[in-house]
Amino acid sequence: MTLESTKQEDDMSTDTPTRAPHSDVPTGHKDGGRVGAGLFDPKQLVTSLPDAIRKLDPRVMVKSPVMFVVLVGSVVTTVLALKDPGSWFGWVIAVWLWLTVIFANLAEAVAEGRGKAQADTLRKAKTDTVARRLNDGAEEQVPGTELRIGDLVVCEAGDIIPGDGDVVEGVASVDESAITGESAPVIRESGGDRSAVTGGTKVLSDRIVIKITTKPGETFIDRMINLVEGAARQKTPNEIALNILLASLTIVFLLAVVTLKPFALYAGADKQTSLIVLTALLVCLIPTTIGALLSAIGIAGMDRLVQRNVLAMSGRAVEAAGDVSTLLLDKTGTITLGNRQAAEFVPVRGTTEAEVADAAQLSSLADETPEGRSIVVLAKEKYGLRERHQGELVDAEWVPFTAQTRMSGVDVDGRKVRKGATGSVIAWVQERGGEVAEDAQQLTDAISQAGGTPLLVALEDERGPRVLGVIHLKDVVKEGMRERFDELRRMGIKTVMITGDNPLTAKAIADEAGVDDFLAEATPEDKMALIKREQAGGKLVAMTGDGTNDAPALAQADVGVAMNTGTSAAKEAGNMVDLDSNPTKLIEIVEIGKQLLITRGALTTFSIANDVAKYFAIIPAMFAVAYPGLDKLNIMGLASPESAILSAVIFNALIIIALVPLALKGVQYRPMSADKMLRRNLGIYGLGGLIAPFIGIKIIDLLISLIPGIG
């Protein structure tokens, strides 16, 4: 394989976005970009309060069974307090139950508020444009809202692209900062995997013809606005299952509380089991903490993806990312830098490395490919050769690469230097009457078997034509990839490298990068077959892609991440779109998905453990008068029955608002096995959920007992 053919292969397979020539801004997550840093701001509680109050609508509240019960309890205690206006206890309980509901709505409102802020920014990018539609070859100006699927529109420098589509003619530099937050323009061109354009972006140069692929109101920006606002967010299967569990627990506790009244009448403790007290008990025992935060956790999970410029088409996709057990990654641009780099110059017997380096640098001065530039740099840095320039060689005759010769080089100062494929260079030397060193073929074979690409370097001078040595080109694995794959392995995720390279090259790169397996000489059919095999074994699969030929595999994968630079077919097939078109972000997506699941599990554990502790606060207070022996369960030593019940209700409300930052930020994820993670959650959030109420309720009780007439 020649240097030039290598470049062609990489250009066809790389997933790295093509930037305009003048751009040197790297892609990736930008802390100062459109999406912000995502930290919790206490001011959000105040600004989101009106939305939280509006959510008190029973039609909204009924979607959360636990909090709907609390809402009903708030109404009941308020009615009872109105019947007995002189009862301070009833009024205080009613107020704190209402605050419990509002705090629960506030958690969801804050999470949604972030999305609305992002949506407002996106709306600024959505402008009503006039489109230059082609009609029988002639241009006509029509409102962008009148465009239909299949229409052809013309855009030139300075024009706003009126709708989503694919470039079918021309190439242009496009400003996508309104969508990605990235200031560097990108190249969009027809006939490749970087043909998709988004409505609302701006053409900076040249002229392109775009074929519209979406209806008005269904553009990419419209979908982004709906998703980040939460308007299109459906509950995921895990959320639905957890809601069913919480509803079941609520029914169980409701039945348990209802049965307490007959027991109290029999024991003569009717006063201690008034309807207000029973309502307070029910609210404290049902899992209100996780019931209040469940929706906020889901919204925040999608928000964390948006912060990294990844658009999830559904919450199901985010959760699936957390359960992924097999990760398919393209080699070029994901695991490797995307272009082969010169690693060493290997001389044949009778030649020195310096001679090979000099000839290799000379023959690469006119080679503007990344591989060619790497040869010039390696010769300069490793062998101290001055970096010469093409313009210095006035009388040089440059020999360009062609598919027929599979070589390139230069004729200068009576010397002819060539570099290229092994067979072509050997044939060139032999045709000119030269002899090829015996070890030349052995050196190229050794480099090929090691996964590299050998390029022979030959020279013809007064000594005659001869092979000087071999340039070893190799894929450069991105820094830190082995460590990332080690983390994934600890997470229980199998990594598979996908490449079009031959098996020898693929194995060498796989070994160096530390992936678990590889698929060499991969075709679209091979990718599909691999995904189906993994799924047949009960595994969830994630992969990235940007081309039309990736669309079937993206649709088949449980998590299909399409590159924003890719075709419309790829973006439609995937359930996530990476606006930065950075394939390595798939690893971050998996971590965010796992963080979402861990956060939900941790707060569920905390909530249930909380209920156990609150039981020890209220039950002894209710029945200690009738059954003095129960006073032994009053291990917190609470001041009075009223103080105990009120302290538990107040703590139940405050703990929700205290956990909002954790629900939005998420529990910190650390790669570890499932059993270790379970032990960690039980140790931190299970034990913490038991201890926190004892401390919190006792502190509140001490403060209440200082109020005259209560303590």
Side-chain angles (χ1 to χ4, degrees), residues 194-244:
R194 297 181 179 85
S195 59
V197 292
T198 305
T201 57
K202 185 177 182 179
V203 177
L204 298 180
S205 67
D206 303 295
R207 177 183 185 273
I208 51 176
V209 177
I210 301 166
K211 183 177 182 180
I212 299 299
T213 57
T214 57
K215 299 177 183 178
E218 298 179 6
T219 65
F220 193 60
I221 289 184
D222 289 317
R223 291 162 67 190
M224 287 180 69
I225 291 171
N226 287 333
L227 286 163
V228 299
E229 276 189 323
R233 195 187 86 89
Q234 301 296 321
K235 288 189 181 295
T236 65
N238 279 344
E239 273 186 283
I240 294 172
L242 187 53
N243 262 319
I244 293 173

Coordinates of all heavy atoms in Angstrom, one line a residue, residues 194-244:
R194 N -20.3 13.6 4.4 CA -20.4 14.9 5.0 C -21.2 15.8 4.2 O -20.9 16.9 3.9 CB -19.0 15.5 5.3 CG -18.2 14.6 6.2 CD -16.8 15.2 6.5 NE -16.1 14.4 7.4 CZ -15.4 13.3 7.0 NH1 -15.3 13.0 5.8 NH2 -14.7 12.6 7.9
S195 N -22.4 15.3 3.8 CA -23.3 16.0 2.9 C -24.4 16.6 3.6 O -25.1 17.5 3.1 CB -23.8 15.1 1.8 OG -24.5 14.0 2.4
A196 N -24.7 16.2 4.9 CA -25.9 16.7 5.6 C -25.7 18.2 6.1 O -24.6 18.5 6.6 CB -26.2 15.8 6.8
V197 N -26.7 19.0 5.9 CA -26.7 20.4 6.4 C -28.0 20.6 7.3 O -29.0 19.9 7.1 CB -26.7 21.4 5.3 CG1 -25.3 21.4 4.6 CG2 -27.8 21.2 4.3
T198 N -27.9 21.5 8.2 CA -29.0 21.7 9.1 C -29.6 23.1 8.9 O -28.8 24.1 8.7 CB -28.5 21.6 10.6 OG1 -27.8 20.4 10.8 CG2 -29.6 21.8 11.6
G199 N -30.9 23.2 8.9 CA -31.6 24.5 8.8 C -31.2 25.4 9.9 O -31.1 25.0 11.0
G200 N -31.0 26.7 9.5 CA -30.6 27.7 10.5 C -29.1 27.9 10.6 O -28.6 28.9 11.2
T201 N -28.3 27.1 9.9 CA -26.8 27.3 9.8 C -26.6 28.2 8.6 O -27.4 28.4 7.8 CB -26.1 26.0 9.7 OG1 -26.5 25.3 8.6 CG2 -26.3 25.1 11.0
K202 N -25.3 28.7 8.6 CA -25.0 29.8 7.6 C -23.9 29.3 6.6 O -22.9 28.8 7.1 CB -24.6 31.1 8.3 CG -24.4 32.2 7.4 CD -24.1 33.5 8.2 CE -23.9 34.7 7.3 NZ -23.6 35.9 8.2
V203 N -24.1 29.5 5.4 CA -23.1 29.3 4.4 C -22.1 30.4 4.3 O -22.4 31.6 4.2 CB -23.7 29.1 3.0 CG1 -22.6 28.8 1.9 CG2 -24.7 27.9 3.0
L204 N -20.8 30.1 4.5 CA -19.7 31.1 4.5 C -19.0 31.3 3.2 O -18.5 32.4 3.0 CB -18.7 30.8 5.6 CG -19.2 30.7 7.0 CD1 -18.1 30.3 8.0 CD2 -19.9 32.0 7.5
S205 N -19.0 30.3 2.3 CA -18.3 30.4 1.1 C -18.9 29.5 0.0 O -19.6 28.5 0.4 CB -16.8 30.1 1.3 OG -16.6 28.7 1.6
D206 N -18.6 29.8 -1.2 CA -19.0 29.0 -2.4 C -20.5 28.9 -2.5 O -21.3 29.6 -1.9 CB -18.3 27.6 -2.2 CG -16.8 27.7 -2.1 OD1 -16.2 28.2 -3.1 OD2 -16.3 27.4 -1.0
R207 N -20.9 27.9 -3.4 CA -22.3 27.7 -3.7 C -22.6 26.2 -3.7 O -21.9 25.4 -4.1 CB -22.5 28.2 -5.2 CG -24.0 28.0 -5.7 CD -24.0 28.4 -7.1 NE -25.4 28.4 -7.7 CZ -25.9 27.3 -8.2 NH1 -25.2 26.2 -8.3 NH2 -27.1 27.3 -8.7
I208 N -23.8 25.9 -3.0 CA -24.2 24.5 -2.9 C -25.7 24.4 -3.3 O -26.4 25.4 -3.1 CB -24.0 23.9 -1.5 CG1 -24.6 24.8 -0.5 CG2 -22.5 23.6 -1.3 CD1 -24.4 24.3 1.0
V209 N -26.0 23.2 -3.8 CA -27.5 22.9 -4.0 C -27.9 21.9 -3.0 O -27.2 20.8 -2.8 CB -27.7 22.4 -5.4 CG1 -29.2 22.0 -5.6 CG2 -27.3 23.5 -6.5
I210 N -29.0 22.1 -2.3 CA -29.4 21.3 -1.2 C -30.7 20.6 -1.5 O -31.6 21.3 -2.0 CB -29.5 22.1 0.1 CG1 -28.2 22.7 0.5 CG2 -30.0 21.2 1.3 CD1 -28.3 23.8 1.5
K211 N -30.8 19.3 -1.2 CA -32.1 18.6 -1.4 C -32.7 18.5 0.0 O -32.2 17.9 0.9 CB -31.9 17.2 -2.0 CG -33.2 16.4 -2.2 CD -32.9 15.1 -2.9 CE -34.2 14.4 -3.1 NZ -33.9 13.0 -3.8
I212 N -33.9 19.1 0.2 CA -34.6 19.2 1.4 C -35.1 17.8 1.8 O -35.7 17.0 1.0 CB -35.8 20.1 1.4 CG1 -35.3 21.6 1.1 CG2 -36.5 20.1 2.7 CD1 -34.3 22.1 2.1
T213 N -34.8 17.4 3.1 CA -35.2 16.0 3.6 C -36.2 16.0 4.7 O -36.5 15.0 5.2 CB -33.9 15.3 4.0 OG1 -33.3 16.0 5.0 CG2 -33.0 15.1 2.8
T214 N -36.6 17.2 5.2 CA -37.6 17.2 6.3 C -38.7 18.2 6.0 O -38.5 19.2 5.2 CB -36.9 17.6 7.6 OG1 -36.3 18.9 7.5 CG2 -35.9 16.6 8.1
K215 N -39.8 18.0 6.7 CA -41.0 19.0 6.5 C -40.8 20.2 7.5 O -40.1 20.1 8.5 CB -42.3 18.3 6.9 CG -42.6 17.1 6.1 CD -43.9 16.4 6.6 CE -44.2 15.2 5.8 NZ -45.4 14.5 6.3
P216 N -41.4 21.3 7.2 CA -41.3 22.4 8.1 C -41.9 22.0 9.5 O -42.9 21.3 9.5 CB -42.2 23.5 7.4 CG -42.2 23.1 6.0 CD -42.1 21.6 5.9
G217 N -41.3 22.5 10.5 CA -41.7 22.1 11.9 C -41.1 20.8 12.4 O -41.3 20.5 13.5
E218 N -40.5 20.1 11.5 CA -39.9 18.8 11.9 C -38.3 18.8 11.7 O -37.7 17.8 11.6 CB -40.5 17.6 11.1 CG -42.0 17.5 11.4 CD -42.6 16.3 10.5 OE1 -41.8 15.6 9.9 OE2 -43.8 16.1 10.6
T219 N -37.8 20.0 11.6 CA -36.3 20.1 11.3 C -35.6 19.7 12.6 O -36.1 19.5 13.6 CB -36.0 21.6 11.0 OG1 -36.2 22.4 12.1 CG2 -36.8 22.0 9.8
F220 N -34.2 19.6 12.4 CA -33.4 19.1 13.4 C -33.5 20.1 14.6 O -33.5 19.7 15.8 CB -31.9 19.1 12.9 CG -31.0 18.4 13.8 CD1 -31.2 17.0 14.1 CD2 -29.9 19.0 14.3 CE1 -30.3 16.4 15.0 CE2 -29.0 18.3 15.1 CZ -29.2 17.0 15.4
I221 N -33.5 21.4 14.4 CA -33.6 22.4 15.5 C -34.9 22.2 16.2 O -35.0 22.3 17.4 CB -33.4 23.8 14.9 CG1 -32.0 24.1 14.5 CG2 -33.8 24.8 16.0 CD1 -31.7 25.5 14.1
D222 N -36.0 22.0 15.4 CA -37.3 21.8 16.1 C -37.3 20.6 17.0 O -37.8 20.7 18.1 CB -38.4 21.6 15.0 CG -38.7 22.8 14.2 OD1 -38.8 23.9 14.9 OD2 -38.8 22.8 13.0
R223 N -36.7 19.5 16.6 CA -36.6 18.3 17.4 C -35.7 18.6 18.6 O -36.0 18.1 19.7 CB -36.0 17.2 16.6 CG -37.0 16.7 15.5 CD -36.3 15.9 14.4 NE -35.8 14.6 15.0 CZ -35.0 13.8 14.3 NH1 -34.6 14.1 13.1 NH2 -34.6 12.7 14.8
M224 N -34.6 19.3 18.4 CA -33.8 19.6 19.5 C -34.5 20.5 20.6 O -34.4 20.2 21.8 CB -32.5 20.4 19.1 CG -31.5 19.6 18.3 SD -30.1 20.6 17.8 CE -29.3 20.9 19.4
I225 N -35.3 21.4 20.1 CA -36.0 22.3 21.1 C -37.0 21.5 21.9 O -37.1 21.6 23.1 CB -36.7 23.4 20.3 CG1 -35.7 24.4 19.7 CG2 -37.7 24.1 21.2 CD1 -36.3 25.4 18.8
N226 N -37.7 20.6 21.2 CA -38.7 19.8 21.9 C -38.0 18.8 22.9 O -38.5 18.6 24.0 CB -39.5 18.9 20.9 CG -40.5 19.8 20.1 OD1 -41.0 20.8 20.7 ND2 -40.8 19.3 18.9
L227 N -36.9 18.3 22.5 CA -36.2 17.3 23.4 C -35.6 18.0 24.6 O -35.7 17.5 25.7 CB -35.2 16.6 22.6 CG -35.7 15.5 21.6 CD1 -34.7 15.1 20.6 CD2 -36.2 14.3 22.4
V228 N -34.9 19.1 24.4 CA -34.2 19.7 25.6 C -35.2 20.4 26.5 O -34.9 20.6 27.7 CB -33.1 20.7 25.1 CG1 -32.1 20.1 24.3 CG2 -33.7 21.9 24.3
E229 N -36.4 20.8 26.0 CA -37.4 21.3 26.8 C -38.1 20.2 27.7 O -38.8 20.5 28.6 CB -38.5 22.0 26.0 CG -38.1 23.5 25.7 CD -39.3 24.2 25.0 OE1 -40.0 23.6 24.2 OE2 -39.5 25.4 25.3
G230 N -38.0 19.0 27.2 CA -38.6 17.9 27.9 C -40.0 17.6 27.3 O -40.7 16.7 27.8
A231 N -40.4 18.4 26.3 CA -41.8 18.2 25.8 C -41.9 16.9 25.1 O -43.0 16.3 25.1 CB -42.1 19.3 24.8
A232 N -40.8 16.3 24.6 CA -40.9 15.1 23.9 C -40.3 13.9 24.7 O -40.1 12.8 24.1 CB -40.2 15.2 22.5
R233 N -40.1 14.2 26.0 CA -39.4 13.1 26.8 C -40.5 12.2 27.3 O -41.4 12.5 28.0 CB -38.7 13.7 28.0 CG -37.7 12.8 28.6 CD -37.1 13.4 29.9 NE -38.0 13.2 31.0 CZ -37.9 12.1 31.8 NH1 -37.0 11.2 31.6 NH2 -38.7 12.0 32.9
Q234 N -40.3 10.9 26.9 CA -41.2 9.9 27.3 C -40.6 9.1 28.5 O -39.3 9.0 28.5 CB -41.5 8.9 26.2 CG -42.2 9.5 25.0 CD -43.6 10.1 25.3 OE1 -44.3 9.5 26.0 NE2 -43.9 11.3 24.7
K235 N -41.4 8.6 29.4 CA -40.8 7.8 30.5 C -40.2 6.6 29.9 O -40.7 5.9 29.1 CB -41.9 7.5 31.5 CG -42.3 8.7 32.3 CD -43.3 8.2 33.5 CE -43.8 9.4 34.3 NZ -42.7 10.1 35.0
T236 N -39.0 6.2 30.5 CA -38.3 5.0 30.0 C -38.9 3.8 30.7 O -39.5 3.9 31.7 CB -36.8 5.2 30.3 OG1 -36.7 5.2 31.8 CG2 -36.2 6.5 29.8
P237 N -38.6 2.6 30.2 CA -39.0 1.4 30.8 C -38.6 1.3 32.3 O -39.4 0.8 33.1 CB -38.4 0.3 30.0 CG -38.2 0.9 28.6 CD -37.9 2.3 28.9
N238 N -37.4 1.7 32.6 CA -36.9 1.6 34.0 C -37.7 2.6 34.9 O -38.1 2.3 36.0 CB -35.4 2.0 34.1 CG -34.6 0.8 33.7 OD1 -35.0 -0.3 33.7 ND2 -33.3 1.0 33.4
E239 N -38.0 3.8 34.4 CA -38.8 4.7 35.1 C -40.2 4.2 35.4 O -40.8 4.3 36.5 CB -38.9 6.1 34.4 CG -37.7 7.0 34.6 CD -38.0 8.4 34.0 OE1 -37.8 8.4 32.7 OE2 -38.4 9.3 34.7
I240 N -40.8 3.6 34.3 CA -42.1 3.1 34.4 C -42.2 2.0 35.5 O -43.0 1.9 36.3 CB -42.6 2.6 33.1 CG1 -42.8 3.7 32.1 CG2 -43.9 1.8 33.2 CD1 -43.1 3.3 30.7
A241 N -41.1 1.1 35.4 CA -41.1 0.0 36.4 C -40.9 0.5 37.8 O -41.5 0.0 38.7 CB -39.9 -1.0 36.0
L242 N -40.0 1.5 38.0 CA -39.8 2.1 39.3 C -41.1 2.8 39.8 O -41.4 2.7 41.0 CB -38.6 3.0 39.3 CG -38.2 3.6 40.6 CD1 -37.9 2.5 41.6 CD2 -36.9 4.4 40.5
N243 N -41.8 3.4 38.9 CA -43.1 4.1 39.3 C -44.1 3.1 39.8 O -44.8 3.3 40.7 CB -43.6 4.9 38.1 CG -43.3 6.4 38.2 OD1 -43.4 7.0 39.2 ND2 -43.0 6.9 37.0
I244 N -44.1 1.9 39.1 CA -45.0 0.8 39.5 C -44.6 0.3 40.9 O -45.5 0.1 41.8 CB -45.0 -0.3 38.5 CG1 -45.6 0.2 37.1 CG2 -45.7 -1.5 39.0 CD1 -45.5 -0.8 36.0

